[in-house]
Amino acid sequence: FKRNAAPELLFTLHGAGIDADARELRLTAFGAWEWSLNNTWVGCCELVACGLPSGRLRFQFDETWSFARMPITLCFCIPLPEGIARAVGMWYEMREVAEAAGKGETWERNTYKGTQKSPGSYKFVKVLDGNGRRLPAYDEMLASIEARELVGAWRSTIKTRQQMTKRCSPIGCGCC
């Protein structure tokens, strides 16, 4: 989440479902072990708030797999219409960055209010490969954490080295 002002650092697609024929990837928003958040009161508030609506992110890719619309689904079944999403600034799209094209390592994640791109847009940067090996961006991520670099459009967030995730067990979900 490079330049993301939210208290989020990492996410994984491990629990995502994919429909290759429809070119769609589905991810539960803040599902178990999928998202990491700063170990701060702001991170805790986001974890609680985002866990309530049981939203689902859908990445609807084009035929080249280099652009995706990301409509929001609430309560696992209610699609948020594009007009409403754009009106409230919750319309998301992502596009593979040209200099990294074909590698799937760097993506612009843009937020729109109406037709205007929001200053809250940021990049997804892959830091581990499919075998868990560190990519060059991993060391850059750690350096930004150690430097306590202010990030986001308003330069208001410092990412913490200690992160928390939502975990689930047979008896329920919680933070760890």
Side-chain angles (χ1 to χ4, degrees):
F1 292 111
K2 191 173 185 175
R3 296 190 326 249
N4 181 2
E8 307 160 351
L9 183 64
L10 299 167
F11 82 99
T12 178
L13 298 176
H14 179 72
I18 189 158
D19 180 339
D21 293 332
R23 295 186 311 273
E24 186 170 281
L25 181 124
R26 294 177 196 95
L27 180 68
T28 302
F30 295 91
W33 305 109
E34 290 177 347
W35 234 270
S36 81
L37 295 149
N38 285 352
N39 189 18
T40 62
W41 71 271
V42 175
C44 215
C45 288
E46 181 174 347
L47 187 64
V48 170
C50 290
L52 293 177
S54 299
R56 183 163 282 167
L57 292 174
R58 292 182 0 237
F59 299 76
Q60 298 172 329
F61 286 91
D62 67 3
E63 60 282 344
T64 66
W65 293 83
S66 61
F67 171 81
R69 297 169 61 237
M70 298 170 58
I72 302 290
T73 302
L74 302 174
C75 302
F76 293 111
C77 63
I78 304 167
L80 187 60
E82 181 176 345
I84 293 171
R86 284 185 180 273
V88 298
M90 290 182 65
W91 182 255
Y92 309 119
E93 295 176 349
M94 67 180 212
R95 181 177 310 279
E96 189 172 18
V97 173
E99 61 266 18
K103 295 181 181 180
E105 293 180 3
T106 306
W107 297 79
E108 287 283 343
R109 209 290 271 140
N110 298 315
T111 302
Y112 292 90
K113 184 162 186 175
T115 58
Q116 298 296 311
K117 184 176 165 183
S118 163
S121 297
Y122 53 89
K123 288 184 180 179
F124 288 140
V125 180
K126 189 174 182 179
V127 296
L128 299 173
D129 70 12
N131 295 312
R133 287 187 294 262
R134 296 176 181 177
L135 297 173
Y138 184 90
D139 291 329
E140 183 183 327
M141 175 191 69
L142 285 183
S144 74
I145 293 168
E146 296 301 327
R148 300 187 49 78
E149 180 182 319
L150 286 167
V151 296
W154 302 277
R155 313 234 351 118
S156 59
T157 304
I158 296 173
K159 304 294 181 175
T160 60
R161 187 170 181 104
Q162 186 175 10
Q163 295 282 299
M164 60 184 173
T165 63
K166 184 176 178 181
R167 60 174 168 75
C168 289
S169 71
I171 59 170
C173 293
C175 298
C176 78

